[in-house]
Amino acid sequence: MRSMISTVRFASAAAILALTAGGTAYAQDDAQAPAPAAGEWVPLNSSRFGDELTEKWIPVPNGDSGAPRQGWLATADGFFTREVHLAAAYTQSPGPDSWGVLGRFHYPFSRRLWAGIEVPFYQESQRRGNFGDITLTTQVMLAEKRNLSINAGVGWRLPTGSVVQGNKVFAAQPQINLWTDVGRGFSIRGRVAYEFADRNLPDNFVLNASIGQTVTPHSPAPFGDLTWYVAANWREPTTGRGNSFVSITPGMRTHVGNNLFLLAGVEFPVINRNESFNERYILQLVQGF
């Protein structure tokens, strides 16, 4: 009798982060195959963790349903990117309105290690302009498969700005971030974090969750990778003074050509609006390299 050998694929449940969406996502290991060619992406392997700490970063292909690993506004990335960002935001508040411009630089040092820096180089309120607090974030990739990425790290807020704009704060934010393709071009992403702050500011529990769908392929610029999404954020003080903060940010992203992306969104607080702001309009350019 002819014998047959079958290959069983292993399904791992992705972590759920649900404020606006929830669900279970599955990422599958590839069946055993010949060693990949140099520079070809393969899932990370925990048994090779030490080697992968120094291996050159390789961009991860889209998920099985076509969902790309791309940054969105007002949410976290469970994956690594190599990009430069330029963003502007205008905030309407019960008090004086404000606006600001910031830059970001993201760089993966290896398949397991990544760092990003955010520099708010101009903030203005009541016709007074100042430099903001720089944020430096370092991350380690814990798991990465075709449909799932999970990383962990710490965001460091450095007191480089002016107290007038609510800056000059040192804070540390340990975090765990997730991204997963859940089918039909949809992806879910988010963050669980805890923030420790100084200057008698409260520590905060931080939760973020987002869902969105990419509806076009990458190539038809200026509407390549056209994506809609909704992000939700919750900050809950755990010590000292402070108020709960919950916001919803609908947004979009599109590839306008030559690996340049345009993002736009509006953030709306849903509680304690009188103590935060009415709405914030955000526009961002992202250049991948």
Side-chain angles (χ1 to χ4, degrees), residues 115-186:
I117 187 169
E118 178 178 297
V119 182
F121 49 85
Y122 190 76
Q123 298 176 337
E124 181 175 306
S125 179
Q126 295 180 294
R127 298 183 180 181
R128 300 176 66 178
N130 290 283
F131 193 82
D133 286 350
I134 292 174
T135 301
L136 174 65
T137 303
T138 53
Q139 293 176 347
V140 176
M141 186 63 68
L142 302 179
E144 186 172 73
K145 301 182 181 184
R146 181 70 180 265
N147 295 325
L148 175 70
S149 290
I150 302 173
N151 64 41
V154 182
W156 304 94
R157 179 172 174 172
L158 308 178
T160 55
S162 168
V163 176
V164 175
Q165 254 84 31
N167 292 299
K168 213 149 187 81
V169 176
F170 177 80
Q173 187 187 96
Q175 57 193 238
I176 296 177
N177 307 301
L178 168 136
W179 173 93
T180 182
D181 182 333
V182 293
R184 297 183 179 273
F186 280 91

Side-chain angles (χ1 to χ4, degrees), residues 51-59 82 108-111:
D51 293 332
E52 290 163 347
L53 283 173
T54 57
E55 287 180 354
K56 184 179 179 180
W57 175 72
I58 302 171
R82 188 173 61 192
F109 293 99
S110 72
R111 296 196 68 194

Side-chain angles (χ1 to χ4, degrees), residues 36-47:
E40 181 181 346
W41 179 86
V42 294
L44 292 177
N45 186 337
S46 58
S47 66

Side-chain angles (χ1 to χ4, degrees), residues 13 30 43 65-66 82 117 142 161 183 203 205 234 240 258 261 270 273 284:
D30 292 334
S65 78
R82 188 173 61 192
I117 187 169
L142 302 179
D203 295 347
F205 171 73
W234 174 34
N258 296 320
F261 299 84
V270 294
R273 292 171 63 92
Q284 179 171 294

Side-chain angles (χ1 to χ4, degrees), residues 95-108:
D97 293 349
S98 60
W99 65 277
V101 182
L102 61 83
R104 297 188 189 93
F105 181 74
H106 293 176
Y107 192 80

